[in-house]
Amino acid sequence: MRGTWTRDTRPRYTLKLRMPGEPEIDTDKLREHIAEEVDRGGTLLRRIALTTALLAVFATLAALKAAATINAALMLSTQGTRLQAEASDQWAFYQAKGLKAAVEEAARAAWLAAGKEPPAEYDERKERYTAEQKEIEARAWEREKERDEKLVESDHLLHAHHGFANAVAIFQVSIALGAIAALTRSRVVWLGSLVLGIGGVVLLGVNLLL
């Protein structure tokens, strides 16, 4: 008899969970192993497959939130840097107006030292520069206040990002344990996977509520 072979044409769906700077577990292959074991039958394997699929959903949500929070944190940090530059410019203008006012006062003092009445324009310019200084100072403080608000919000989002990234790592390990449980048909390993998965869900929920 001549042997026959068939080609598996079933579509395969993949899940990419990549966090920069962190070790990556290939959850795609793990889930494929679980699916192959489920095809062979068994209530335990079906339960493992179900819980693993649910964990994959939570892992995807955590990965999306991690990416969103880090992008928002970087944007706010950039805005804070821009506001700092604007505040520095305002303080430079403030000092420039102060120097001009000092020059006018020195010129006025020279007239008085000579026993003469200084022209009124010296006082007028000095008062104008002093008034402009107050306006510039107010703008500078406003920029610094906005800068501080942006940086505080950026730090908050960065903290949330770390929480979501940790949740992704926990879900990945939980899915890996699920694959091991499916291959070994071990309830103990599956329970360990569930415990880790619940921990990941709790961590995800806490960060969502922050």
Side-chain angles (χ1 to χ4, degrees):
M1 295 178 61
R2 300 179 62 183
T4 61
W5 58 276
T6 60
R7 181 180 180 183
D8 186 358
T9 58
R10 292 177 298 176
R12 295 183 181 273
Y13 300 92
T14 59
L15 172 65
K16 301 294 183 182
L17 299 177
R18 294 176 179 166
M19 300 305 299
E22 299 178 359
E24 179 186 350
I25 297 176
D26 193 346
T27 56
D28 300 338
K29 293 186 179 298
L30 296 178
R31 294 179 64 197
E32 288 179 1
H33 284 308
I34 294 175
E36 292 173 358
E37 292 296 323
V38 170
D39 290 340
R40 301 175 185 176
T43 302
L44 176 62
L45 295 180
R46 292 191 181 91
R47 292 176 180 176
I48 293 175
L50 177 60
T51 56
T52 302
L54 291 175
L55 291 173
V57 172
F58 285 118
T60 302
L61 176 60
L64 291 175
K65 293 298 294 183
T69 50
I70 191 60
N71 289 335
L74 291 174
M75 182 181 66
L76 289 172
S77 179
T78 301
Q79 292 177 354
T81 302
R82 176 180 58 79
L83 290 169
Q84 175 60 53
E86 293 179 0
S88 298
D89 290 341
Q90 292 300 317
W91 287 120
F93 294 154
Y94 177 88
Q95 293 177 351
K97 295 296 181 181
L99 290 174
K100 289 182 178 180
V103 170
E104 297 298 331
E105 180 62 25
R108 184 174 180 277
W111 279 81
L112 292 174
K116 299 180 181 180
E117 184 66 23
E121 62 185 19
Y122 289 121
D123 285 334
E124 293 175 357
R125 284 197 292 264
K126 178 185 176 182
E127 292 177 359
R128 188 178 80 239
Y129 293 145
T130 301
E132 291 175 348
Q133 267 191 307
K134 293 180 179 179
E135 295 177 358
I136 294 172
E137 183 181 15
R139 288 196 296 268
W141 284 117
E142 182 181 357
R143 296 294 188 279
E144 290 188 349
K145 181 181 178 181
E146 292 178 5
R147 174 207 62 193
D148 292 340
E149 292 175 351
K150 297 293 184 183
L151 293 179
V152 168
E153 189 175 356
S154 175
D155 290 340
H156 174 75
L157 289 174
L158 188 60
H159 177 74
H161 163 73
H162 291 317
F164 289 125
N166 290 334
V168 171
I170 292 175
F171 285 130
Q172 288 184 328
V173 175
S174 179
I175 293 172
L177 288 177
I180 295 174
L183 295 173
T184 61
R185 291 175 171 78
S186 172
R187 289 183 179 273
V188 175
V189 177
W190 178 46
L191 290 176
S193 173
L194 290 178
V195 170
L196 274 178
I198 292 173
V201 171
V202 171
L203 182 59
L204 175 61
V206 169
N207 283 277
L208 287 173
L209 293 176
L210 290 178

